[in-house]
Amino acid sequence: MQSAPIFLPDDEATARFGAELAAGLKPGDIVSLEGDLGAGKTAMARAILRTLANDPALEVPSPTFAIIQPYDTPVGPVLHADLYRLADASEADELGLLDDPDAIVLVEWAARAPQVAEAVSLIVHLEIPPGGVGRMVQVTRR
């Protein structure tokens, strides 16, 4: 099921949307955050994580260089991964993204590892609209 595209005019709207998404996540959900560089994938992950952790000031760095960042939250473990820098799809297996059936996994660039992309239960596609102001988001539940 795919939602109609929604316009998010600013970071505050993105944070509100991420909080709404977080409210519907459950253990075992694997969320693919998709879009070009700069489309807002990490901003969306940050909003989701802060909501799941019940901590609006939670530091949520981009996992671009660490590749994976784990969080302990009141709803259980949450993993935030960025697969952009993987040299080979097989490296994703070593990360353990799919090992814990109780974890919520937020993954940027899931397509870099087909085994992860196939396990995705929710796709959040972000893009910068013409004119470069705000972002468009569309959600697909599998």
Side-chain angles (χ1 to χ4, degrees), residues 105-141:
V105 179
L106 307 176
V107 61
E108 300 178 38
W109 302 99
R112 308 263 308 161
Q115 68 275 33
V116 174
E118 290 172 15
V120 165
S121 54
L122 187 73
I123 297 168
V124 180
H125 182 83
L126 298 145
E127 65 181 62
I128 303 297
V133 176
R135 59 184 53 102
M136 297 298 296
V137 62
Q138 189 165 26
V139 178
T140 303
R141 169 97 35 202

Side-chain angles (χ1 to χ4, degrees), residues 28-96:
D29 277 341
I30 300 173
V31 180
S32 178
L33 300 166
E34 301 181 357
D36 291 334
L37 287 171
K41 296 179 296 294
T42 300
M44 185 65 67
R46 188 172 292 121
I48 292 168
L49 279 159
R50 286 177 174 166
T51 300
L52 293 174
N54 197 26
D55 182 353
L58 179 68
E59 174 130 4
V60 180
S62 171
T64 298
F65 293 101
I67 301 181
I68 188 168
Q69 182 68 43
Y71 296 86
D72 289 318
T73 74
V75 298
V78 180
L79 303 174
H80 180 201
D82 184 334
L83 306 184
Y84 185 76
R85 296 195 179 280
L86 290 186
D88 184 83
S90 65
E91 292 177 9
D93 295 332
E94 298 170 19
L95 299 174

